[in-house]
Amino acid sequence: MFTFELTMQKRGNHEQVFKKFRDYTMALELNGQILRRHRLYTDINEDEILLRVVAPEATSFNRDNENTIVTNARNALEEIYGEPIVWKNVGKNLNVGDSCECEKSSYYILKGDMKDTVSPVLCGNCGNSVPLYTLPRNYSREEYYDILEWQRAYNDLTDLFKQGLDERYAYDMLNKANSSLNVEGRRIAKALNEKTGIPVYYHMFKYYGKNKDECPICGEGWKNNDGEYNVDYICHRCKLVSSDYE
Ligand SMILES: [Zn+2]
Ligand SMILES: [Zn+2]
């Protein structure tokens, strides 16, 4: 992950500019080009504001990573601001893990309880997260929105669970294969598999102790002995993986 910054001049129309800037950063978030909850605004002086964001790759702001919503929002911002928006790469961000740089992944894992707000799509080969905008471009806004909303719900439930609030309810949602949360997650994994042609395994949450020896959906044995997959359990038929809690 990389930290980028942008210095903006405060002019007479600053409020309108800032509103357009928010639309633009929201569009970047929904396209996976910047991380959620990592925007930092600093007043440097009366005339200038410094904006910092975190992006998955050094190349995240390349124009060909934009979708039409980002491009339209950037054009609207540049028009009202009167200058092109140029992000400066400050360097590698050490708070957040790296992104996948593999040429091609042989499989993906969809994992909801990723720390922070990185993409929940992990590369099976390197284990790092795959920026959403690098996934097939025929995704509509709504489809990315699905992934982000599902991830948000997942994070809220893991927070509830870890804080001991509504613990039973939260654990059932996270742990039961047929909870609404996991049904939605598996639907997203399947859709992603159809779009990419790459197998997408859905990661089942496990907190207390060991998993059962049988896949929670089809009931077949699912202990993994295949070194190609870095997980304790895998069911190729149901496209499910899990690991024991340590
Ligand atoms: Zn990778
Ligand atoms: Zn199964």
Side-chain angles (χ1 to χ4, degrees), residues 17-216:
V17 169
F18 206 66
K19 194 173 165 295
K20 293 287 180 205
F21 183 78
R22 267 204 292 264
D23 293 346
Y24 167 59
T25 48
M26 181 59 72
L28 287 169
E29 282 187 4
L30 290 173
N31 195 36
Q33 286 177 263
I34 62 172
L35 268 56
R36 284 181 289 163
R37 287 189 251 147
H38 282 273
R39 278 185 257 172
L40 191 69
Y41 303 127
T42 313
D43 262 329
I44 311 178
N45 56 45
E46 275 180 15
D47 306 320
E48 285 178 314
I49 184 164
L50 176 73
L51 306 132
R52 280 200 160 160
V53 297
V54 179
E57 301 177 292
T59 53
S60 291
F61 288 103
N62 285 3
R63 294 288 158 87
D64 35 332
N65 290 330
E66 292 184 347
N67 61 14
T68 51
I69 300 160
V70 173
T71 305
N72 292 342
R74 183 176 47 71
N75 286 338
L77 169 63
E78 288 177 341
E79 193 173 322
I80 195 166
Y81 184 57
E83 283 175 40
I85 296 300
V86 182
W87 291 96
K88 182 172 164 241
N89 184 346
V90 183
K92 208 162 177 184
N93 185 298
L94 303 177
N95 294 330
V96 202
D98 288 335
S99 299
C100 166
E101 291 176 6
C102 300
E103 194 84 1
K104 195 176 184 322
S105 306
S106 48
Y107 66 103
Y108 294 136
I109 293 177
L110 183 67
K111 190 168 189 281
D113 60 326
M114 289 304 297
K115 254 211 297 193
D116 233 300
T117 59
V118 299
S119 157
V121 180
L122 304 186
C123 166
N125 305 94
C126 70
N128 290 328
S129 76
V130 180
L132 291 181
Y133 59 81
T134 66
L135 297 169
R137 297 311 302 265
N138 56 356
Y139 261 54
S140 74
R141 180 188 193 184
E142 284 69 28
E143 280 163 310
Y144 272 144
Y145 196 71
D146 271 10
I147 295 185
L148 294 167
E149 281 301 294
W150 165 80
Q151 187 184 11
R152 195 191 301 258
Y154 208 110
N155 284 330
D156 287 350
L157 284 162
T158 33
D159 285 349
L160 272 183
F161 172 65
K162 287 183 177 157
Q163 290 156 7
L165 299 166
D166 277 325
E167 192 178 343
R168 189 72 251 170
Y169 165 76
Y171 192 69
D172 282 353
M173 280 293 264
L174 293 163
N175 186 53
K176 292 212 160 109
N178 287 315
S179 73
S180 54
L181 181 76
N182 288 327
V183 168
E184 172 67 357
R186 276 163 35 221
R187 186 194 66 74
I188 291 169
K190 189 161 175 276
L192 193 59
N193 169 227
E194 283 162 7
K195 291 257 164 67
T196 58
I198 293 172
V200 182
Y201 292 85
Y202 183 70
H203 182 269
M204 286 298 302
F205 181 89
K206 185 68 192 163
Y207 193 76
Y208 300 118
K210 280 190 181 309
N211 280 275
K212 294 205 172 98
D213 290 344
E214 300 82 32
C215 164

